[in-house]
Amino acid sequence: MSNWPEIEKKYFMPVFKRQPIVLVRGEGVRVWDENGKGYIDFVGGWAVNCLGHAHPVIVNALREQGSKLIQVSNQFYTIPQLELAELLVRNSCLERVFFGNSGAEANEGAFKLARKYGRMHLNGAYEVITVSGSFHGRTIAAIAATGQHKFQNPFVPLPDGFINVDYDSIAAIKSATTKLTCAVMLEPIQGESGVNIPNKAYFKQVREWCNEHGLLFILDEIQTGVGRTGTMFAYEQLGIEPDIMTIAKGLGGGVPIGAVMTKERASVFAQGEHGSTFGGNPLACAVGYAVIKYILENRILENVREVGGYLMASLNRLKSEFGFITEVRGRGFLCAMQFDRETGDEVVASCNELGLLVNRVKPNALRFMPPLITTKAEVDEAIAILRKALARVR
Ligand SMILES: Cc1ncc(COP(=O)(O)O)c(C=O)c1O
């Protein structure tokens, strides 16, 4: 058998902190490694595999569309692209769509829209206010927007025009707003920095501030969108509507696709001002269409709310059993467990050994992002493993 970690060490850029597992197959919420060992997958492709692994709806869409038309060019109309655009608009508060291939690329589209909007309507204003602890992707503009120095420092100088301010503080946004500001960009829940949920009033206050000053409110729903928090989009739970929303991850159920969506007034690109070779290709869009339709027609959002609540209750039960768990937080199937010590790696290693995949989102916290189809019985199995792993580090 090949030694894949050795091959990785020799040929691949050393950017990923890998777990010592080589995955080869998946079905539903389970995956198997090259030795045939099975795991319950609560990483879910990093909040991507919303219908789990090898779901027949996704496999059939791939097979059917793959045998018809995979890629042409955006010089031509293609039906899956337009069907998916219509479905997303009909099931959101946004009115226009552009497809790319990833989250970071969707955010790049949002930054460009904000700048163009500033040029058209705000005397050339170009600054986007973002917040500390945010994560918006790995392109050079997305790391400038990301409010975490560790992603920025090796790559300075970063593009101008991104102002990072304190999280969960309307006062910080107000004091950073100048005549150069064109937009405010937030995540409904900060996934990458540990499932941080701000004060609910915050989003309404930001919405009002943006309205008063004519600024665009951009929501990065790349992690929270497509059902992850129990509604199709998290903004539905915040009592506000964004002017621009970015999505990716769950949209293709594992096939790469991202989208920037806008209200009509924020849809300011003219012909030739944005584009993508692969973005909106028939294959990815046919899968995206199948995924969204399946979520809408099969009570998947109800499942996320019900089983997500059950997961939170189960995690809270563990909190009452283990004194070193300081907090459990989350919405739907985006949850975290915080420890009073930096024991995340140890718990993950034990979970791996016992057959559960979880993400160590911070040295002292775990994150759970199971497929949206996960059942209570699968949660029970995962919790039983987690309990054993926690008992080992007690
Ligand atoms: C909120 C948020 N924005 C943007 C991104 C970047 O997405 P991608 O890795 O697809 O470029 C992520 C990825 O984790 C994310 O969670």
Side-chain angles (χ1 to χ4, degrees):
M1 202 183 276
S2 300
N3 186 336
W4 296 111
E6 277 304 314
I7 291 170
E8 198 253 15
K9 204 184 268 172
K10 190 158 170 205
Y11 296 111
F12 201 82
M13 294 192 194
V15 294
F16 294 114
K17 180 177 186 292
R18 313 253 196 196
Q19 296 298 321
I21 298 172
V22 181
L23 294 173
V24 294
R25 186 169 72 83
E27 194 181 324
V29 306
R30 284 166 213 278
V31 287
W32 285 267
D33 69 16
E34 59 177 347
N35 304 311
K37 178 174 171 183
Y39 304 82
I40 301 174
D41 182 9
F42 271 30
V43 178
W46 216 267
V48 166
N49 300 315
C50 49
L51 304 187
H53 298 276
H55 194 286
V57 157
I58 294 180
V59 174
N60 287 341
L62 278 171
R63 193 178 288 132
E64 264 179 44
Q65 190 59 45
S67 63
K68 260 198 290 195
L69 193 65
I70 293 176
Q71 160 78 9
V72 284
S73 127
N74 281 309
Q75 207 180 341
F76 306 99
Y77 298 101
T78 49
I79 296 166
Q81 180 184 103
L82 301 174
E83 284 180 334
L84 179 57
E86 184 179 22
L87 188 65
L88 287 170
V89 166
R90 290 205 169 170
N91 287 283
S92 73
C93 67
L94 288 313
E95 294 164 300
R96 290 203 179 255
V97 183
F98 179 86
F99 293 116
N101 310 283
S102 67
E105 210 182 319
N107 283 342
E108 289 282 337
F111 305 145
K112 284 175 67 178
L113 282 166
R115 287 194 174 193
K116 176 83 192 290
Y117 187 90
R119 183 174 283 258
M120 287 169 68
H121 301 296
L122 297 166
N123 298 314
Y126 62 92
E127 285 182 353
V128 179
I129 297 177
T130 66
V131 294
S132 57
S134 60
F135 183 82
H136 298 297
R138 305 290 196 145
T139 59
I140 204 87
I143 58 174
T146 291
Q148 298 189 62
H149 295 302
K150 68 178 177 190
F151 295 114
Q152 301 176 328
N153 289 345
F155 307 108
V156 293
L158 298 176
D160 209 6
F162 295 92
I163 311 293
N164 301 144
V165 305
D166 281 351
Y167 180 50
D168 204 4
S169 162
I170 184 66
I173 289 175
K174 286 183 178 178
S175 67
T177 302
T178 68
K179 62 182 189 329
L180 293 180
T181 310
C182 64
V184 178
M185 180 171 188
L186 298 172
E187 294 158 85
I189 295 174
Q190 291 186 336
E192 293 309 299
S193 54
V195 189
N196 303 324
I197 304 175
N199 189 337
K200 194 168 168 187
Y202 183 50
F203 294 99
K204 284 201 174 137
Q205 291 163 339
V206 175
R207 180 68 274 178
E208 279 162 20
W209 183 252
C210 289
N211 291 348
E212 273 171 44
H213 295 268
L215 312 177
L216 296 176
F217 189 176
I218 306 171
L219 272 189
D220 177 341
E221 290 236 23
I222 286 160
Q223 189 150 149
T224 54
V226 193
R228 173 87 9 218
T229 70
T231 46
M232 186 55 89
F233 303 105
Y235 75 77
E236 296 167 50
Q237 299 170 50
L238 305 177
I240 55 115
E241 293 185 355
D243 303 302
I244 299 180
M245 175 175 79
T246 52
I247 55 176
K249 290 194 183 283
L251 180 55
V255 172
I257 180 170
V260 54
M261 301 184 66
T262 67
K263 294 280 196 189
E264 190 63 45
R265 74 184 182 94
S267 171
V268 289
F269 286 144
Q271 219 171 62
E273 288 182 344
H274 200 51
S276 167
T277 298
F278 295 120
N281 69 78
L283 187 72
C285 290
V287 175
Y289 182 81
V291 166
I292 298 290
K293 216 160 165 327
Y294 188 87
I295 290 175
L296 290 169
E297 291 174 359
N298 291 275
R299 302 182 57 80
I300 301 300
L301 300 173
E302 287 83 346
N303 189 70
V304 177
R305 291 197 287 270
E306 190 187 335
V307 184
Y310 185 74
L311 172 61
M312 279 292 285
S314 307
L315 294 172
N316 270 309
R317 212 166 308 118
L318 291 177
K319 178 172 176 282
S320 64
E321 292 170 37
F322 296 94
F324 63 94
I325 302 174
T326 53
E327 196 189 1
V328 166
R329 52 184 179 265
R331 293 273 184 282
F333 278 147
L334 182 57
C335 306
M337 170 179 270
Q338 180 109 8
F339 306 126
D340 67 2
R341 60 195 78 160
E342 298 200 341
T343 193
D345 281 329
E346 261 180 284
V347 180
V348 166
S350 282
C351 286
N352 287 344
E353 192 194 320
L354 296 164
L356 170 67
L357 303 183
V358 291
N359 166 238
R360 191 226 67 171
V361 68
K362 293 200 291 190
N364 63 347
L366 303 182
R367 176 173 45 165
F368 309 92
M369 306 169 276
L372 309 187
I373 54 164
T374 303
T375 62
K376 285 185 180 171
E378 287 157 343
V379 166
D380 286 343
E381 253 186 274
I383 292 290
I385 292 175
L386 185 57
R387 179 178 281 113
K388 279 191 202 159
L390 292 166
R392 287 185 184 175
V393 300
R394 192 203 296 262

